[in-house]
Amino acid sequence: EPEVTQTPSHQVTQMGQEVILRCVPISNHLYFYWYRQILGQKVEFLVSFYNNEISEKSEIFDDQFSVERPDGSNFTLKIRSTKLEDSAMYFCASTLIGGASSYEQYFGPGTRLTVT
Amino acid sequence: LAKTTQPVSMDSYEGQEVNITCSHNNIATNDYITWYQQFPSQGPRFIIQGYKTKVTNEVASLFIPADRKSSTLSLPRVSLSDTAVYYCLVGKAAGNKLTFGGGTRVLVKP
C-alpha cells in the first residue's frame, strides 16, 4: 500500500538554526499539507499546498515558515530560525483530490523536531 | 466550522464493542463527518466518513441519526492494538484543512 514518508524521523537543532523537514507524498496525490502536534496537545494545521502554491495557511505559519515542492516527489517545510516553541511532531499529509475525498488525508509517520 | 464534543477518555476490554459518540449541534448542510485514529507517536489515520444514516467498512461503523447533530463511531470486538486517540471531525466536503479537537483516548485492557 502506498504511504507518505518523512525524513528525518528525529531532528535536534539549536535555537536560531534553520531546519528543513522532508516529505514524499503518495505519488499520484495532488494536495499536500503540513500539520504539527506539540507534545500532549492537539494536531494543528499549518499549511496546504496545491498546484505549486499555498492554498491555505494558519496563523502559526508565519514568515519563519515556508514550503516547497522542489521536484516531482518531495515536499519540504523550512523553518528559517527555530524557536524553542517550534519543538513538536511535524506531520506531512497528502490527498488525491478535493471535494468529499479531501477529508481522507494520508499522514506520514512524522518528524520529531527538538529545539534546544 | 461545526464545533464537536466527544468524551475525553473511555476504557474497554478486549473483545468488547466500543461506541464513541460525538456531538456536533451546529453541523451545516454540506458538512461531512469523519473519524481519525492516532496511535502514540504516529500520524492520524483515516477510519471512516459519512454524511447520513450508517456507513460500515472493515474497521468500524458510523451511525448518524436523521438530524445529524451527533454521530457514533462503533468499533466491534476491540483488541489491545485499538488503544489510541479517536478524533471526530466535521467540515465541508470541499474543505482542505483538517481541524482536530482533543479526541477520545480509548484504552483497551486485557
Short mmCIF file of all heavy atoms in Angstrom, two decimals, chain A residues 31 33 35 37 41-45 48 50 55-56 89 91 95 97-110 112, chain B residues 1 31-34 36 38 41-46 49 87 89-103 105:
data_model
loop_
_atom_site.label_atom_id
_atom_site.label_comp_id
_atom_site.label_asym_id
_atom_site.label_seq_id
_atom_site.Cartn_x
_atom_site.Cartn_y
_atom_site.Cartn_z
N TYR A 31 -2.78 17.18 -3.45
CA TYR A 31 -2.88 18.15 -2.36
C TYR A 31 -1.94 17.72 -1.25
O TYR A 31 -1.92 16.54 -0.87
CB TYR A 31 -4.32 18.21 -1.82
CG TYR A 31 -5.32 18.77 -2.79
CD1 TYR A 31 -5.80 18.03 -3.85
CD2 TYR A 31 -5.79 20.07 -2.63
CE1 TYR A 31 -6.71 18.56 -4.74
CE2 TYR A 31 -6.71 20.61 -3.51
CZ TYR A 31 -7.17 19.84 -4.57
OH TYR A 31 -8.07 20.36 -5.45
N TYR A 33 -0.09 18.77 2.69
CA TYR A 33 -0.35 19.51 3.92
C TYR A 33 0.81 19.30 4.91
O TYR A 33 1.47 18.26 4.89
CB TYR A 33 -1.64 19.00 4.60
CG TYR A 33 -2.82 18.84 3.67
CD1 TYR A 33 -2.98 17.68 2.91
CD2 TYR A 33 -3.77 19.84 3.56
CE1 TYR A 33 -4.06 17.53 2.07
CE2 TYR A 33 -4.87 19.69 2.72
CZ TYR A 33 -5.00 18.53 1.98
OH TYR A 33 -6.08 18.38 1.15
N TYR A 35 1.08 19.55 9.20
CA TYR A 35 0.45 19.73 10.50
C TYR A 35 1.54 19.60 11.56
O TYR A 35 2.60 19.03 11.30
CB TYR A 35 -0.60 18.65 10.77
CG TYR A 35 -1.80 18.68 9.85
CD1 TYR A 35 -1.75 18.10 8.58
CD2 TYR A 35 -3.00 19.27 10.26
CE1 TYR A 35 -2.87 18.11 7.74
CE2 TYR A 35 -4.11 19.28 9.43
CZ TYR A 35 -4.03 18.70 8.18
OH TYR A 35 -5.13 18.72 7.36
N GLN A 37 2.10 18.79 15.99
CA GLN A 37 1.48 18.40 17.25
C GLN A 37 2.52 18.57 18.36
O GLN A 37 3.49 17.80 18.42
CB GLN A 37 0.97 16.97 17.20
CG GLN A 37 0.18 16.55 18.42
CD GLN A 37 -0.43 15.16 18.27
OE1 GLN A 37 0.11 14.30 17.58
NE2 GLN A 37 -1.58 14.94 18.90
N GLN A 41 -0.62 17.87 23.05
CA GLN A 41 -1.64 18.80 22.56
C GLN A 41 -2.29 18.31 21.26
O GLN A 41 -2.01 17.21 20.80
CB GLN A 41 -1.01 20.19 22.36
CG GLN A 41 -0.50 20.79 23.67
CD GLN A 41 -0.05 22.21 23.51
OE1 GLN A 41 -0.47 22.93 22.61
NE2 GLN A 41 0.82 22.65 24.41
N LYS A 42 -3.16 19.15 20.72
CA LYS A 42 -3.92 18.76 19.53
C LYS A 42 -3.04 18.80 18.29
O LYS A 42 -2.02 19.50 18.23
CB LYS A 42 -5.06 19.75 19.30
CG LYS A 42 -6.06 19.85 20.42
CD LYS A 42 -7.08 20.94 20.12
CE LYS A 42 -7.99 21.19 21.29
NZ LYS A 42 -8.96 22.27 21.02
N VAL A 43 -3.48 18.09 17.27
CA VAL A 43 -2.87 18.21 15.95
C VAL A 43 -3.35 19.53 15.34
O VAL A 43 -4.55 19.79 15.29
CB VAL A 43 -3.30 17.03 15.05
CG1 VAL A 43 -2.74 17.19 13.65
CG2 VAL A 43 -2.87 15.70 15.66
N GLU A 44 -2.40 20.35 14.89
CA GLU A 44 -2.74 21.68 14.37
C GLU A 44 -2.35 21.79 12.90
O GLU A 44 -1.25 21.43 12.51
CB GLU A 44 -1.97 22.77 15.13
CG GLU A 44 -2.24 22.80 16.63
CD GLU A 44 -1.32 23.80 17.31
OE1 GLU A 44 -0.09 23.53 17.40
OE2 GLU A 44 -1.81 24.85 17.74
N PHE A 45 -3.24 22.35 12.12
CA PHE A 45 -2.99 22.59 10.70
C PHE A 45 -1.99 23.73 10.54
O PHE A 45 -2.08 24.75 11.22
CB PHE A 45 -4.31 22.94 10.01
CG PHE A 45 -4.17 23.50 8.63
CD1 PHE A 45 -3.94 22.66 7.56
CD2 PHE A 45 -4.29 24.87 8.41
CE1 PHE A 45 -3.83 23.18 6.27
CE2 PHE A 45 -4.19 25.40 7.14
CZ PHE A 45 -3.95 24.55 6.07
N SER A 48 -1.63 24.21 3.57
CA SER A 48 -2.00 23.29 2.49
C SER A 48 -1.42 23.83 1.19
O SER A 48 -1.24 25.04 1.02
CB SER A 48 -3.51 23.12 2.39
OG SER A 48 -4.15 24.36 2.19
N TYR A 50 -1.28 23.26 -3.18
CA TYR A 50 -1.87 22.63 -4.36
C TYR A 50 -1.41 23.38 -5.59
O TYR A 50 -1.37 24.62 -5.58
CB TYR A 50 -3.40 22.63 -4.27
CG TYR A 50 -4.10 22.23 -5.55
CD1 TYR A 50 -4.05 20.92 -5.99
CD2 TYR A 50 -4.78 23.18 -6.32
CE1 TYR A 50 -4.68 20.55 -7.18
CE2 TYR A 50 -5.40 22.81 -7.50
CZ TYR A 50 -5.35 21.50 -7.93
OH TYR A 50 -5.96 21.13 -9.10
N SER A 55 -2.45 27.04 -0.70
CA SER A 55 -3.88 27.28 -0.85
C SER A 55 -4.49 27.81 0.45
O SER A 55 -5.47 28.55 0.41
CB SER A 55 -4.63 26.04 -1.33
OG SER A 55 -4.26 24.91 -0.58
N GLU A 56 -3.93 27.44 1.58
CA GLU A 56 -4.39 27.97 2.86
C GLU A 56 -3.27 27.82 3.89
O GLU A 56 -2.48 26.89 3.82
CB GLU A 56 -5.64 27.21 3.33
CG GLU A 56 -6.31 27.80 4.55
CD GLU A 56 -7.63 27.15 4.91
OE1 GLU A 56 -8.07 26.23 4.19
OE2 GLU A 56 -8.21 27.56 5.93
N MET A 89 6.00 17.49 16.96
CA MET A 89 5.98 16.47 15.91
C MET A 89 5.36 17.13 14.69
O MET A 89 4.29 17.74 14.79
CB MET A 89 5.11 15.30 16.39
CG MET A 89 5.28 14.05 15.58
SD MET A 89 6.79 13.20 16.03
CE MET A 89 6.36 11.55 15.56
N PHE A 91 3.82 16.58 10.96
CA PHE A 91 3.26 15.56 10.08
C PHE A 91 3.00 16.15 8.71
O PHE A 91 2.42 17.22 8.58
CB PHE A 91 1.93 15.04 10.63
CG PHE A 91 2.04 14.31 11.94
CD1 PHE A 91 1.55 14.89 13.11
CD2 PHE A 91 2.61 13.06 12.01
CE1 PHE A 91 1.65 14.22 14.32
CE2 PHE A 91 2.71 12.38 13.22
CZ PHE A 91 2.23 12.97 14.37
N THR A 95 -3.45 14.10 -0.21
CA THR A 95 -4.71 13.54 -0.66
C THR A 95 -4.81 13.69 -2.16
O THR A 95 -4.17 14.58 -2.74
CB THR A 95 -5.91 14.20 0.06
OG1 THR A 95 -7.08 13.46 -0.19
CG2 THR A 95 -6.09 15.63 -0.37
N ILE A 97 -7.59 14.16 -4.32
CA ILE A 97 -8.42 15.20 -4.92
C ILE A 97 -9.12 15.97 -3.84
O ILE A 97 -9.12 15.58 -2.68
CB ILE A 97 -9.48 14.61 -5.88
CG1 ILE A 97 -10.37 13.62 -5.13
CG2 ILE A 97 -8.84 13.98 -7.09
CD1 ILE A 97 -11.52 13.09 -5.95
N GLY A 98 -9.73 17.09 -4.20
CA GLY A 98 -10.53 17.84 -3.25
C GLY A 98 -11.93 17.26 -3.19
O GLY A 98 -12.15 16.11 -3.51
N GLY A 99 -12.89 18.07 -2.79
CA GLY A 99 -14.25 17.57 -2.64
C GLY A 99 -14.37 16.68 -1.42
O GLY A 99 -13.63 16.82 -0.47
N ALA A 100 -15.27 15.75 -1.44
CA ALA A 100 -15.51 14.89 -0.27
C ALA A 100 -14.26 14.15 0.12
O ALA A 100 -13.99 13.92 1.29
CB ALA A 100 -16.65 13.92 -0.56
N SER A 101 -13.47 13.75 -0.85
CA SER A 101 -12.28 12.96 -0.54
C SER A 101 -11.22 13.76 0.18
O SER A 101 -10.29 13.19 0.70
CB SER A 101 -11.70 12.38 -1.82
OG SER A 101 -12.60 11.45 -2.38
N SER A 102 -11.34 15.07 0.21
CA SER A 102 -10.29 15.84 0.85
C SER A 102 -10.27 15.60 2.36
O SER A 102 -9.31 15.94 3.01
CB SER A 102 -10.47 17.33 0.58
OG SER A 102 -11.57 17.83 1.29
N TYR A 103 -11.31 15.00 2.92
CA TYR A 103 -11.26 14.69 4.33
C TYR A 103 -10.57 13.37 4.61
O TYR A 103 -10.35 13.01 5.75
CB TYR A 103 -12.67 14.75 4.95
CG TYR A 103 -12.91 16.08 5.58
CD1 TYR A 103 -12.94 17.23 4.82
CD2 TYR A 103 -13.03 16.20 6.96
CE1 TYR A 103 -13.10 18.47 5.40
CE2 TYR A 103 -13.20 17.43 7.54
CZ TYR A 103 -13.24 18.56 6.77
OH TYR A 103 -13.40 19.79 7.35
N GLU A 104 -10.22 12.62 3.57
CA GLU A 104 -9.44 11.41 3.75
C GLU A 104 -8.01 11.75 3.39
O GLU A 104 -7.62 11.65 2.23
CB GLU A 104 -9.96 10.28 2.88
CG GLU A 104 -9.21 8.98 3.10
CD GLU A 104 -9.79 7.80 2.33
OE1 GLU A 104 -10.86 7.96 1.71
OE2 GLU A 104 -9.17 6.73 2.37
N GLN A 105 -7.27 12.18 4.36
CA GLN A 105 -5.88 12.53 4.14
C GLN A 105 -4.98 11.43 4.66
O GLN A 105 -5.29 10.78 5.67
CB GLN A 105 -5.55 13.86 4.83
CG GLN A 105 -6.31 15.03 4.21
CD GLN A 105 -5.98 16.36 4.83
OE1 GLN A 105 -5.03 16.51 5.59
NE2 GLN A 105 -6.76 17.38 4.48
N TYR A 106 -3.87 11.24 3.97
CA TYR A 106 -2.91 10.20 4.33
C TYR A 106 -1.72 10.88 5.01
O TYR A 106 -1.06 11.72 4.40
CB TYR A 106 -2.46 9.44 3.08
CG TYR A 106 -3.56 8.64 2.45
CD1 TYR A 106 -4.51 9.25 1.66
CD2 TYR A 106 -3.65 7.27 2.65
CE1 TYR A 106 -5.53 8.52 1.08
CE2 TYR A 106 -4.66 6.52 2.07
CZ TYR A 106 -5.61 7.16 1.29
OH TYR A 106 -6.62 6.44 0.73
N PHE A 107 -1.47 10.50 6.24
CA PHE A 107 -0.43 11.12 7.04
C PHE A 107 0.85 10.28 7.04
O PHE A 107 0.81 9.05 7.02
CB PHE A 107 -0.89 11.28 8.50
CG PHE A 107 -1.83 12.43 8.71
CD1 PHE A 107 -3.15 12.35 8.30
CD2 PHE A 107 -1.39 13.60 9.31
CE1 PHE A 107 -4.03 13.41 8.49
CE2 PHE A 107 -2.26 14.66 9.52
CZ PHE A 107 -3.58 14.57 9.11
N GLY A 108 1.97 11.00 7.09
CA GLY A 108 3.25 10.34 7.28
C GLY A 108 3.49 10.03 8.74
O GLY A 108 2.69 10.42 9.60
N PRO A 109 4.61 9.37 9.04
CA PRO A 109 4.91 8.99 10.42
C PRO A 109 5.38 10.14 11.29
O PRO A 109 5.44 10.00 12.51
CB PRO A 109 6.01 7.95 10.25
CG PRO A 109 6.68 8.32 8.97
CD PRO A 109 5.60 8.88 8.08
N GLY A 110 5.71 11.26 10.66
CA GLY A 110 6.11 12.42 11.44
C GLY A 110 7.60 12.58 11.61
O GLY A 110 8.38 11.62 11.51
N ARG A 112 10.00 14.29 14.53
CA ARG A 112 10.04 14.94 15.85
C ARG A 112 11.14 15.98 15.84
O ARG A 112 12.32 15.65 15.68
CB ARG A 112 10.29 13.91 16.96
CG ARG A 112 10.33 14.54 18.34
CD ARG A 112 10.33 13.50 19.45
NE ARG A 112 9.15 12.65 19.42
CZ ARG A 112 7.94 13.00 19.83
NH1 ARG A 112 7.74 14.21 20.32
NH2 ARG A 112 6.94 12.16 19.78
N LEU B 1 -17.21 26.59 11.02
CA LEU B 1 -16.78 25.23 11.31
C LEU B 1 -17.57 24.71 12.50
O LEU B 1 -17.64 25.37 13.53
CB LEU B 1 -15.29 25.25 11.66
CG LEU B 1 -14.48 24.01 11.32
CD1 LEU B 1 -14.46 23.80 9.82
CD2 LEU B 1 -13.08 24.15 11.83
N ASP B 31 -21.78 19.63 5.43
CA ASP B 31 -20.68 19.10 6.23
C ASP B 31 -20.68 17.57 6.21
O ASP B 31 -21.74 16.94 6.28
CB ASP B 31 -20.80 19.56 7.69
CG ASP B 31 -20.32 20.97 7.90
OD1 ASP B 31 -19.65 21.52 7.00
OD2 ASP B 31 -20.60 21.54 8.99
N TYR B 32 -19.49 17.00 6.14
CA TYR B 32 -19.32 15.57 6.31
C TYR B 32 -18.77 15.28 7.71
O TYR B 32 -18.19 16.16 8.35
CB TYR B 32 -18.32 15.03 5.27
CG TYR B 32 -18.95 14.73 3.94
CD1 TYR B 32 -19.43 15.74 3.12
CD2 TYR B 32 -19.07 13.41 3.49
CE1 TYR B 32 -20.00 15.46 1.90
CE2 TYR B 32 -19.64 13.12 2.27
CZ TYR B 32 -20.11 14.15 1.48
OH TYR B 32 -20.68 13.87 0.28
N ILE B 33 -18.96 14.06 8.18
CA ILE B 33 -18.46 13.64 9.49
C ILE B 33 -17.37 12.59 9.25
O ILE B 33 -17.61 11.60 8.54
CB ILE B 33 -19.59 13.03 10.33
CG1 ILE B 33 -20.68 14.07 10.56
CG2 ILE B 33 -19.04 12.52 11.68
CD1 ILE B 33 -22.05 13.47 10.84
N THR B 34 -16.21 12.84 9.79
CA THR B 34 -15.06 11.97 9.53
C THR B 34 -14.40 11.61 10.85
O THR B 34 -14.32 12.43 11.76
CB THR B 34 -14.04 12.70 8.64
OG1 THR B 34 -14.70 13.28 7.52
CG2 THR B 34 -12.96 11.75 8.14
N TYR B 36 -10.89 9.91 12.65
CA TYR B 36 -9.50 9.53 12.52
C TYR B 36 -9.04 8.83 13.79
O TYR B 36 -9.60 9.04 14.88
CB TYR B 36 -8.61 10.77 12.30
CG TYR B 36 -8.52 11.23 10.87
CD1 TYR B 36 -9.56 11.95 10.28
CD2 TYR B 36 -7.41 10.94 10.09
CE1 TYR B 36 -9.48 12.36 8.96
CE2 TYR B 36 -7.32 11.36 8.77
CZ TYR B 36 -8.36 12.06 8.21
OH TYR B 36 -8.28 12.47 6.90
N GLN B 38 -5.41 7.87 16.05
CA GLN B 38 -3.99 8.19 16.17
C GLN B 38 -3.36 7.36 17.28
O GLN B 38 -3.78 7.45 18.45
CB GLN B 38 -3.76 9.69 16.46
CG GLN B 38 -2.29 10.08 16.46
CD GLN B 38 -2.03 11.53 16.75
OE1 GLN B 38 -2.82 12.20 17.41
NE2 GLN B 38 -0.91 12.04 16.26
N SER B 41 2.81 8.66 18.96
CA SER B 41 3.97 8.96 18.11
C SER B 41 3.76 8.58 16.65
O SER B 41 4.72 8.30 15.93
CB SER B 41 5.23 8.27 18.64
OG SER B 41 5.52 8.73 19.94
N GLN B 42 2.52 8.54 16.21
CA GLN B 42 2.23 8.28 14.80
C GLN B 42 1.29 9.35 14.27
O GLN B 42 0.63 10.06 15.03
CB GLN B 42 1.60 6.90 14.63
CG GLN B 42 2.54 5.75 14.93
CD GLN B 42 1.94 4.42 14.54
OE1 GLN B 42 1.15 4.33 13.60
NE2 GLN B 42 2.32 3.37 15.24
N GLY B 43 1.21 9.43 12.95
CA GLY B 43 0.28 10.36 12.34
C GLY B 43 -1.14 9.84 12.40
O GLY B 43 -1.38 8.64 12.49
N PRO B 44 -2.12 10.74 12.37
CA PRO B 44 -3.52 10.30 12.35
C PRO B 44 -3.81 9.43 11.13
O PRO B 44 -3.18 9.59 10.09
CB PRO B 44 -4.30 11.62 12.28
CG PRO B 44 -3.37 12.64 12.83
CD PRO B 44 -2.01 12.20 12.42
N ARG B 45 -4.76 8.54 11.30
CA ARG B 45 -5.13 7.63 10.21
C ARG B 45 -6.64 7.69 10.00
O ARG B 45 -7.40 7.57 10.96
CB ARG B 45 -4.71 6.20 10.54
CG ARG B 45 -4.96 5.17 9.45
CD ARG B 45 -4.40 3.82 9.86
NE ARG B 45 -5.27 3.14 10.81
CZ ARG B 45 -6.06 2.11 10.51
NH1 ARG B 45 -6.15 1.68 9.28
NH2 ARG B 45 -6.79 1.52 11.45
N PHE B 46 -7.06 7.93 8.77
CA PHE B 46 -8.48 7.97 8.42
C PHE B 46 -9.14 6.63 8.74
O PHE B 46 -8.61 5.57 8.42
CB PHE B 46 -8.62 8.29 6.94
CG PHE B 46 -10.02 8.18 6.40
CD1 PHE B 46 -10.87 9.27 6.43
CD2 PHE B 46 -10.49 6.99 5.85
CE1 PHE B 46 -12.15 9.19 5.92
CE2 PHE B 46 -11.77 6.89 5.33
CZ PHE B 46 -12.60 8.00 5.37
N GLN B 49 -15.85 7.86 7.04
CA GLN B 49 -16.51 9.15 6.77
C GLN B 49 -17.95 8.89 6.36
O GLN B 49 -18.23 7.90 5.67
CB GLN B 49 -15.76 9.88 5.65
CG GLN B 49 -16.38 11.20 5.24
CD GLN B 49 -15.51 11.92 4.20
OE1 GLN B 49 -14.46 12.45 4.49
NE2 GLN B 49 -15.96 11.91 2.96
N TYR B 87 -10.55 10.76 16.86
CA TYR B 87 -10.99 12.14 16.62
C TYR B 87 -12.21 12.16 15.71
O TYR B 87 -12.24 11.49 14.67
CB TYR B 87 -9.90 12.94 15.91
CG TYR B 87 -8.61 13.07 16.67
CD1 TYR B 87 -7.54 12.22 16.40
CD2 TYR B 87 -8.43 14.07 17.63
CE1 TYR B 87 -6.35 12.34 17.08
CE2 TYR B 87 -7.23 14.20 18.30
CZ TYR B 87 -6.19 13.33 18.03
OH TYR B 87 -5.00 13.46 18.70
N LEU B 89 -14.26 14.69 13.31
CA LEU B 89 -14.10 15.94 12.59
C LEU B 89 -15.34 16.20 11.75
O LEU B 89 -15.88 15.28 11.14
CB LEU B 89 -12.88 15.90 11.66
CG LEU B 89 -11.49 15.95 12.29
CD1 LEU B 89 -11.08 14.60 12.87
CD2 LEU B 89 -10.47 16.39 11.26
N VAL B 90 -15.74 17.43 11.70
CA VAL B 90 -16.91 17.81 10.91
C VAL B 90 -16.54 18.99 10.04
O VAL B 90 -15.97 19.97 10.53
CB VAL B 90 -18.10 18.20 11.82
CG1 VAL B 90 -19.24 18.78 11.02
CG2 VAL B 90 -18.56 17.00 12.61
N GLY B 91 -16.83 18.90 8.76
CA GLY B 91 -16.48 20.02 7.90
C GLY B 91 -17.05 19.86 6.51
O GLY B 91 -17.63 18.84 6.15
N LYS B 92 -16.86 20.91 5.73
CA LYS B 92 -17.42 20.95 4.38
C LYS B 92 -16.69 19.97 3.48
O LYS B 92 -15.49 19.78 3.58
CB LYS B 92 -17.30 22.37 3.82
CG LYS B 92 -18.23 23.33 4.50
CD LYS B 92 -18.13 24.72 3.96
CE LYS B 92 -19.17 25.64 4.55
NZ LYS B 92 -19.58 25.35 5.91
N ALA B 93 -17.44 19.40 2.57
CA ALA B 93 -16.89 18.42 1.66
C ALA B 93 -15.75 19.01 0.85
O ALA B 93 -14.80 18.33 0.51
CB ALA B 93 -17.97 17.89 0.74
N ALA B 94 -15.83 20.25 0.51
CA ALA B 94 -14.80 20.86 -0.33
C ALA B 94 -13.67 21.45 0.49
O ALA B 94 -12.79 22.07 -0.06
CB ALA B 94 -15.43 21.94 -1.21
N GLY B 95 -13.72 21.29 1.80
CA GLY B 95 -12.69 21.87 2.65
C GLY B 95 -11.37 21.14 2.48
O GLY B 95 -11.32 19.98 2.10
N ASN B 96 -10.28 21.81 2.81
CA ASN B 96 -8.97 21.21 2.71
C ASN B 96 -8.38 20.85 4.06
O ASN B 96 -8.00 19.72 4.29
CB ASN B 96 -8.01 22.17 2.00
CG ASN B 96 -8.00 21.93 0.51
OD1 ASN B 96 -8.22 20.84 0.04
ND2 ASN B 96 -7.75 22.99 -0.23
N LYS B 97 -8.31 21.82 4.95
CA LYS B 97 -7.60 21.54 6.20
C LYS B 97 -8.47 20.72 7.14
O LYS B 97 -9.69 20.78 7.13
CB LYS B 97 -7.21 22.85 6.89
CG LYS B 97 -8.39 23.65 7.41
CD LYS B 97 -7.92 24.93 8.07
CE LYS B 97 -9.10 25.69 8.63
NZ LYS B 97 -8.68 27.01 9.15
N LEU B 98 -7.80 19.90 7.94
CA LEU B 98 -8.47 19.16 8.99
C LEU B 98 -8.29 19.92 10.30
O LEU B 98 -7.19 20.37 10.60
CB LEU B 98 -7.88 17.76 9.12
CG LEU B 98 -7.96 16.85 7.89
CD1 LEU B 98 -7.31 15.52 8.18
CD2 LEU B 98 -9.40 16.68 7.45
N THR B 99 -9.37 20.06 11.04
CA THR B 99 -9.30 20.72 12.35
C THR B 99 -9.58 19.68 13.41
O THR B 99 -10.70 19.19 13.54
CB THR B 99 -10.32 21.87 12.44
OG1 THR B 99 -10.06 22.81 11.40
CG2 THR B 99 -10.22 22.56 13.79
N PHE B 100 -8.55 19.34 14.16
CA PHE B 100 -8.65 18.30 15.18
C PHE B 100 -9.00 18.91 16.52
O PHE B 100 -8.47 19.95 16.90
CB PHE B 100 -7.32 17.55 15.31
CG PHE B 100 -6.99 16.67 14.15
CD1 PHE B 100 -6.35 17.18 13.03
CD2 PHE B 100 -7.30 15.33 14.17
CE1 PHE B 100 -6.03 16.37 11.95
CE2 PHE B 100 -6.99 14.51 13.11
CZ PHE B 100 -6.36 15.02 12.00
N GLY B 101 -9.89 18.24 17.25
CA GLY B 101 -10.13 18.60 18.64
C GLY B 101 -9.25 17.74 19.53
O GLY B 101 -8.22 17.22 19.09
N GLY B 102 -9.69 17.59 20.77
CA GLY B 102 -8.89 16.82 21.72
C GLY B 102 -9.01 15.31 21.55
O GLY B 102 -8.15 14.56 22.02
N GLY B 103 -10.07 14.87 20.89
CA GLY B 103 -10.23 13.44 20.68
C GLY B 103 -10.67 12.68 21.92
O GLY B 103 -10.79 13.24 23.02
N ARG B 105 -9.56 9.41 24.12
CA ARG B 105 -8.49 8.44 24.37
C ARG B 105 -9.13 7.13 24.80
O ARG B 105 -9.73 7.06 25.88
CB ARG B 105 -7.56 8.98 25.45
CG ARG B 105 -6.30 8.18 25.67
CD ARG B 105 -5.34 8.93 26.61
NE ARG B 105 -4.98 10.23 26.08
CZ ARG B 105 -4.00 10.45 25.22
NH1 ARG B 105 -3.26 9.44 24.79
NH2 ARG B 105 -3.74 11.68 24.81
#
